Every structure is written in C-alpha cells, then in structure tokens.
Amino acid sequence: MKIYASSLSKLLIFLMIALVSINTGCKNKQKEAEKKAAAERAAKIAQAKTDLQALLADNSKSPEELERDLARIKAMGLNDPEVNALIRQVEEKISKKKTEIAEAKRKAEEEERRRREEEERQKPAKLSLNDYFTRIISASSANEANNYINDALKLFASPDTPVLIAIGVFGGEKDYDKPTTIRKYLEYLKDQKKNLNNIDNIVYDSNGKIKELELMRKK
C-alpha cells in the first residue's frame, strides 16, 4: 500500500508539473502573440504617420488623389491620437484645396465672360441685308460701295446665289423679271443709287447662309 501511495503521489506531482508547464507555455505564446500584434500595430502607426506627413507636404496631388490615399489610411482603423490629428490636418488641406480650385474656376469663368462681353462690344454692329442695300445705294464713293458689297456677299452661300424679282401678282400668281445673281444685283444697286424692291423671302442653307433671295417690286 505504501508503494502504491508513493507511486500515486509521484504521478500527481508529474501531472501538476505538466499542467504548470502547459500553462506557462500557453502564457508565453500569448505574450509572444501580444508582442507581435503590438509590434505590427506600432509599425502600422509609424507608417501611417509617415504617409500622412507625406500627404501634407505634397502639393502636386489633386483633392481626389488625396482623398483616395487618406481613405486607405483611415480604413486601417488605427485610432491613434497622433494619427487622428494628422488625418484631420489632411482633411483640412483637402477642403482648402477644393475651395481654392472652385474659386480659381469661378474667377476663370468670370474672366472668360468678361472677355467675351468685351469682344462683343468691340465688334461692329451686324447689318441686315436691308441695311447693306441702303448703305450701298447711299455710299459716297465706289470704293465704299464695293466694301459694303463684299461684306454683304458674306451673308450668301455664293456670289452666284439666285435672286428672283417679282414684278407683280397676276391671277394669284407672281410674275418674275429675268433672274439675276446677288453679285449682279448689288452692283446694280451701286450703279443705280436706288432700290426699287423689297425683300419678300429668304431661303437659308444648313450653314445659315442665304441660298435664294426673292424680292418684290415696290408699288
């Protein structure tokens, strides 16, 4: 019985030692895992700080690029006070950059609007076809009349654009004079110094140029 009790005691002692060893081993592994996790977190925090400081120093990136890089860092969920402070600084930089870009765009658009308005003010007033007719017949010289003729021709698809002159309406139908071209008609106005016809109809092409002109003899 003494031998059995002694053996049992030794077994219990062995089991206790084994349990202590296992427990110690588990604790050591847990500590190692905790140390590893802490080291990895510290490395991530250090890298995040480096990346955030780089974003603060980089003025070449657009707000969209900064937001993309910042989102990657925020997704790590480090929740470190220094990292959070740097994140706020980058967010402020993005907001400021967006404001500056919007203001620059607004100023550029305003400047472009003013430029167009100034160009319009400096442009000579557009003359209608009737205006050209009047100026050609009242020109003080042949050169002046020719200048108006050349300008008027720019309204037409071609100098040979047909001009129909209705001399009257008979039986419900128009009776036309011999067809002519716009260049010949303008030259006629220059020579005769008078216009006996009113504009009755204008036909335009797809480019906004006159491709046919119909006149009606004044009564």
Side-chain angles (χ1 to χ4, degrees), residues 90-127:
V90 175
E91 288 174 336
E92 289 173 1
K93 176 179 179 177
I94 292 171
S95 178
K96 182 179 179 181
K97 204 173 184 72
K98 284 183 175 180
T99 300
E100 290 173 348
I101 291 173
E103 180 63 15
K105 182 180 179 181
R106 186 194 66 78
K107 287 182 178 179
E109 290 175 347
E110 179 67 16
E111 182 62 29
E112 176 63 16
R113 183 186 65 80
R114 290 177 180 174
R115 184 189 65 79
R116 289 197 301 266
E117 288 178 352
E118 183 61 26
E119 285 183 351
E120 289 299 321
R121 282 195 293 268
Q122 293 178 0
K123 282 182 181 179
K126 290 184 178 180
L127 300 178

Side-chain angles (χ1 to χ4, degrees), residues 32-49:
E32 288 298 323
E34 289 174 352
K35 286 182 180 179
K36 183 178 179 182
E40 289 177 350
R41 173 177 166 77
K44 288 181 179 179
I45 290 174
Q47 186 60 53
K49 289 179 183 178

Side-chain angles (χ1 to χ4, degrees), residues 56-89:
L56 288 171
D58 190 347
N59 292 318
S60 64
K61 289 188 175 182
S62 68
E64 292 74 22
E65 291 172 323
L66 290 172
E67 286 177 329
R68 180 197 63 203
D69 293 342
L70 182 60
R72 175 181 56 79
I73 297 172
K74 291 171 72 174
M76 297 168 68
L78 297 174
N79 196 27
D80 176 78
E82 292 185 33
V83 170
N84 290 341
L86 289 169
I87 286 174
R88 286 192 293 271
Q89 290 180 44

